[in-house]
Amino acid sequence: MLSIAALFILFPLLFTLSSAFMSSAESATYPPRLLPSGLHWDNFLQVVDTVPVIRFITNSFAVSGAIMLGQLITASMAAYAFAFLRFPGKAVIFSLFLSTMMIPWEVTMIPNYLTVRSWHWIDSYQGLIVPFLASAFGTFLLRQYFLQLPRELFEAAKVDGCGHIRVFIQLVLPLSAPSLATLAVYSFLTNWSNYLWPLLITNKESMRTVQIGISMLQFEEVTAWNMVMAGIVIMLLPSLILLIVGLKPLVRGITAGALKG
């Protein structure tokens, strides 16, 4: 039963992969064919020749990588403050921080767009990156993990004269590698798949990310679906590789962070 359910979930991915190797005539038949008559590798070369897909992938890597790095820095520092520092109103501020997770991104999209436009950041990397550098989910995830670290280590570090900066860099960060890896994988995959924001603030072809660029394979007169599917496979390949590599730390980090409130 589980195998049937898994096959049902994987069917769109398998159909996309199969269609990517079909000829144009095979991909346009009705009812749709499930398997290609041969492996038409030239579909992928046609995608590269038709649209600057390498440029799009480079843009997506640069944007997703910068956001991932930024979220690791901001979330780890904020999580340390909420976990170990004492300051007035910490519980209230943390609750307000968490409440931002309940606000849909679409609600803040227009104010963010007006801000980015007023700063002349349309068609720029900073416009694609800066609005996503902080993450309430990442802060919550890391704080929960930090709270599970042995208190005895921090007491021993204080006896040795370590301040907060040294404890954060030399003790907390090395011990929290699994949760940091989890946040890194989650952040990269989430922003790699981002479609609406790049569509809104990029007009130049050279600034398009891969999700926007693949839509250029659809033409008004006729659409070669085998090329579209080949483009989607190219788009999915980096994220699938990262997901396969980072699946275990992703699951381990999320479950570990859910143990302590």
Side-chain angles (χ1 to χ4, degrees):
M1 187 65 184
L2 288 176
S3 300
I4 297 174
L7 187 62
F8 183 76
I9 293 173
L10 286 174
F11 178 75
L13 180 62
L14 296 176
F15 182 74
T16 301
L17 187 61
S18 174
S19 301
F21 289 100
M22 293 182 182
S23 64
S24 297
E26 289 174 340
S27 65
T29 56
Y30 184 84
R33 294 172 60 108
L34 293 180
L35 296 173
S37 60
L39 298 179
H40 296 271
W41 293 96
D42 55 313
N43 292 339
F44 297 93
L45 296 178
Q46 289 181 28
V47 171
V48 175
D49 291 338
T50 306
V51 297
V53 68
I54 303 300
R55 174 72 183 186
F56 299 153
I57 291 177
T58 303
N59 286 343
S60 288
F61 261 115
V63 172
S64 302
I67 292 174
M68 178 189 71
L69 188 61
Q71 287 192 3
L72 285 175
I73 295 172
T74 59
S76 60
M77 295 177 73
Y80 181 88
F82 284 124
F84 301 116
L85 300 186
R86 293 181 179 178
F87 53 88
K90 186 171 79 171
V92 175
I93 295 173
F94 184 63
S95 299
L96 289 174
F97 206 80
L98 289 185
S99 66
T100 60
M101 289 195 296
M102 309 299 174
I103 302 174
W105 159 247
E106 289 77 10
V107 174
T108 60
M109 185 172 56
I110 297 303
N112 279 332
Y113 173 76
L114 295 176
T115 303
V116 166
R117 191 181 65 175
S118 67
W119 291 349
H120 305 290
W121 281 3
I122 300 295
D123 285 322
S124 68
Y125 283 112
Q126 57 266 38
L128 289 167
I129 294 170
V130 171
F132 301 95
L133 287 181
S135 166
F137 170 75
T139 303
F140 174 72
L141 179 71
L142 295 182
R143 174 189 175 270
Q144 299 305 100
Y145 194 88
F146 290 173
L147 290 175
Q148 298 178 58
L149 298 176
R151 290 284 176 181
E152 294 78 8
L153 291 176
F154 297 97
E155 292 172 0
K158 285 182 181 177
V159 171
D160 288 343
C162 292
H164 283 296
I165 295 177
R166 192 174 170 190
V167 168
F168 175 67
I169 295 176
Q170 296 187 353
L171 193 63
V172 174
L173 291 183
L175 291 174
S176 305
S179 62
L180 293 172
T182 300
L183 179 60
V185 173
Y186 174 82
S187 172
F188 188 92
L189 292 179
T190 300
N191 291 287
W192 178 273
S193 307
N194 197 355
Y195 177 81
L196 191 56
W197 183 249
L199 178 66
L200 193 62
I201 72 159
T202 57
N203 299 312
K204 295 179 182 176
E205 184 179 291
S206 60
M207 290 304 301
R208 297 283 191 185
T209 57
V210 69
Q211 283 76 13
I212 310 301
I214 292 301
S215 64
M216 295 168 62
L217 293 171
Q218 287 185 282
F219 305 104
E220 291 185 3
E221 296 81 10
V222 62
T223 297
W225 289 107
N226 56 333
M227 282 183 56
V228 174
M229 295 302 179
I232 292 174
V233 170
I234 294 174
M235 179 194 75
L236 288 176
L237 205 53
S239 54
L240 282 177
I241 293 173
L242 183 62
L243 182 62
I244 291 171
V245 172
L247 185 60
K248 282 188 177 179
L250 182 67
V251 174
R252 187 167 58 243
I254 290 177
T255 52
L259 293 178
K260 188 168 185 178

